[in-house]
């Protein structure tokens, strides 16, 4: 099994990321599959199959605000950060009409500290990935939402913010991403979100590289 990557950096700081290790982890993607015999989906849960991409809807930030209030009501101070991420968080960007949210808690592996409270308010735990940054995901249907849960210091959560902020301020890459998303949706015949995401991956990684360079994580000359 892969190491859990929950702040597991080989230093002497009690298991916390060092600054240099954290920067390195942010720009290094973990594409390894799940351990043999493991599935990220909770037993009996099926992944979303609708990959319809629609034009930007100005109501999406309002839906995020509504969902954020629900999360705060459920968790209070245990919700250390709540961020609107994904395509619905970028004004003008076409997207699947599902609000993606990153929730940071002290320890995402400790489900009892957040999942029961969220489930009482309409969320359902559907993904458990202890081998990948201790990622958990809960889903709600009204409004449609994917709630990703991370521990403090998650490289993946930081990547999401870098990608979001870059697309909010870079029209060229935003328009590139729109075209790739629509093409991927049009050519995804299995209705599986995983297939749709795979078709976008090369473009996403190229956008990430430019965003990393702009943010100072990598040398911009490496892009030339």
């Amino acid at each position: 099994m892969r190491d859990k990557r929950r702040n597991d950096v080989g230093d002497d700081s009690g298991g916390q990321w060092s600054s240099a290790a954290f920067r390195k982890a942010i720009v290094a993607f973990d594409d390894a599959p799940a351990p043999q015999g493991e599935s990220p989906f909770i037993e009996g849960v099926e992944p979303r199959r609708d990959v319809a991409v629609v034009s930007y809807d100005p109501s999406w930030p309002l839906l995020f605000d509504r969902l954020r209030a629900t999360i705060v009501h459920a968790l209070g101070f245990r919700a250390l950060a709540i961020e609107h991420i994904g395509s619905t968080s970028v004004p003008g960007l076409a997207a699947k009409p599902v609000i993606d949210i990153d929730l940071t808690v002290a320890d995402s592996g400790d489900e009892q500290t957040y999942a029961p409270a969220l489930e009482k308010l309409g969320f359902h735990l559907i993904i458990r990935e202890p081998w990948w940054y201790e990622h958990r995901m809960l889903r709600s249907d009204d409004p449609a939402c994917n709630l990703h849960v991370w521990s403090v210091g998650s490289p993946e959560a930081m990547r999401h913010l870098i990608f979001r902020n870059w697309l909010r301020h870079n029209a060229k890459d935003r328009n590139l991403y729109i075209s790739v998303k629509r093409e991927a949706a049009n050519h995804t015949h299995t209705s599986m979100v995983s297939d749709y995401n795979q078709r976008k991956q090369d473009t996403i990684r190229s956008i990430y590289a430019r965003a990393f360079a702009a943010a100072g994580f990598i040398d911009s000359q490496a892009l030339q």
Side-chain angles (χ1 to χ4, degrees):
M1 180 179 293
R2 283 181 285 163
D3 57 328
K4 294 184 178 180
R5 310 191 196 285
R6 273 177 49 199
N7 299 334
D8 295 339
V9 179
D11 62 16
D12 298 318
S13 59
Q16 297 300 309
W17 293 107
S18 69
S19 178
F22 187 50
R23 291 196 302 271
K24 183 177 180 180
I26 288 169
V27 301
F29 294 93
D30 177 9
D31 295 326
Q36 185 175 2
E38 298 283 349
S39 170
F41 287 95
I42 304 297
E43 185 175 358
V45 172
E46 293 290 333
R48 292 189 190 272
R49 293 181 175 273
D50 186 0
V51 294
V53 173
V54 302
S55 298
Y56 179 77
D57 186 335
S59 73
W60 288 338
L62 302 178
L63 292 177
F64 165 73
D65 288 341
R66 173 180 157 190
L67 288 158
R68 186 184 188 283
T70 298
I71 296 165
V72 169
H73 177 71
L75 301 182
F77 287 108
R78 285 173 289 171
L80 302 179
I82 304 170
E83 294 283 354
H84 189 185
I85 52 99
S87 294
T88 62
S89 70
V90 180
L93 186 58
K96 301 188 305 299
V98 179
I99 307 300
D100 281 291
I101 297 176
D102 274 353
L103 166 66
T104 298
V105 296
D107 181 0
S108 55
D110 189 358
E111 296 171 11
Q112 290 303 307
T113 63
Y114 59 87
L118 290 167
E119 288 173 338
K120 288 180 180 179
L121 297 179
F123 288 93
H124 304 282
L125 182 65
I126 67 165
I127 287 179
R128 178 184 289 124
E129 296 180 289
W131 56 84
W132 189 60
Y133 308 114
E134 284 286 0
H135 173 240
R136 303 296 191 271
M137 193 182 92
L138 296 92
R139 176 191 293 168
S140 74
D141 295 319
D142 184 21
C145 171
N146 293 329
L147 177 60
H148 304 271
V149 187
W150 311 98
S151 298
V152 172
S154 165
E156 185 69 10
M158 180 58 69
R159 280 193 286 269
H160 291 170
L161 295 182
I162 293 168
F163 193 76
R164 179 198 69 186
N165 294 345
W166 176 255
L167 289 181
R168 282 179 173 178
H169 295 92
N170 189 286
K172 183 177 179 180
D173 272 344
R174 187 167 61 246
N175 291 332
L176 170 64
Y177 194 36
I178 289 172
S179 65
V180 168
K181 285 162 66 71
R182 291 196 182 279
E183 182 179 357
N186 290 337
H187 288 84
T188 300
H189 303 300
T190 65
S191 297
M192 292 291 290
V193 172
S194 58
D195 292 343
Y196 164 75
N197 289 337
Q198 187 62 39
R199 290 179 179 275
K200 300 186 301 175
Q201 181 165 290
D202 288 346
T203 299
I204 289 173
R205 294 293 171 84
S206 69
I207 294 173
Y208 260 122
R210 291 187 285 276
F212 289 152
F217 284 93
I218 61 174
D219 189 343
S220 60
Q221 292 183 352
L223 303 179
Q224 299 175 3

